[in-house]
Amino acid sequence: MTSLLLQITTTPADTTAALAEGAEAADTSVSLLDLAINGGWAMYPLALLSLAAIYIFVERYLTLKKAAQNPEGFNDRIKNMVLAGDINGAKMLCAQANTPISRMISKGVSRIGSPLKNIETSIENVGKIEISRLERNLSALATIAGAAPMLGFLGTVTGMIGAFIAIAQAEGSVSPKLLSSGIYEAMVTTATGLIIGLPAYVGYNYLVSKIDSIVHSMEYSSIEFLDLLQEPQL
């Protein structure tokens, strides 16, 4: 009976201790902001890389979206105008469209009357310039996709070195808190680098696929235009 009473009387104390331990565990949780602050020097260049990656992707996405918007029936209207001899109207239509395809066709229209080989060469030259514009800053995005994880790993290595130096300087027994805090702070940079690098890599490949689609449309339109110029000779 006495033991039963002791168990009853000690239960609230045990419960209070358990709640205190739970509260202490909750207090020791680390927020993302704390992790970013404790990540060390590598977090600053990683933050700059993340901002650059976001800017490049959004800017290229909007540019490619506009470049892919070819007016409906553009090729047919150009064909009808050229066959009717309305060269100025075809040039105005190309200027209004203001897309990579229209700029290529505009160059071809302005060369009508020249040998077909010269027209083809002028269209190809404009096409090369347009493709270069479409691919602008893509190499920088690819660099960020590869550099961010490596920079994060470098921050982890330097952080681990600092943690082991602190352990070596701690004479006597090493505190588990000192060891664990140094390791998790060092690992933050690797995780951050991967978080930046993986979306940048996916975004880069997505933009490349969009450019390939636009280039295919440019090639199709240029071939169709050159075939149009040869129709009267058939």
Side-chain angles (χ1 to χ4, degrees), residues 128-177:
K128 292 177 182 178
I129 295 174
E130 294 297 330
I131 292 174
S132 177
R133 290 176 179 175
L134 295 176
E135 294 176 344
R136 185 180 301 168
N137 293 329
L138 276 188
S139 59
L141 185 60
T143 301
I144 292 174
M150 290 190 292
L151 182 59
F153 182 70
L154 177 61
T156 295
V157 171
T158 56
M160 292 293 291
I161 292 174
F164 283 113
I165 290 176
I167 293 172
Q169 292 177 349
E171 298 180 356
S173 60
V174 178
S175 171
K177 181 179 180 180

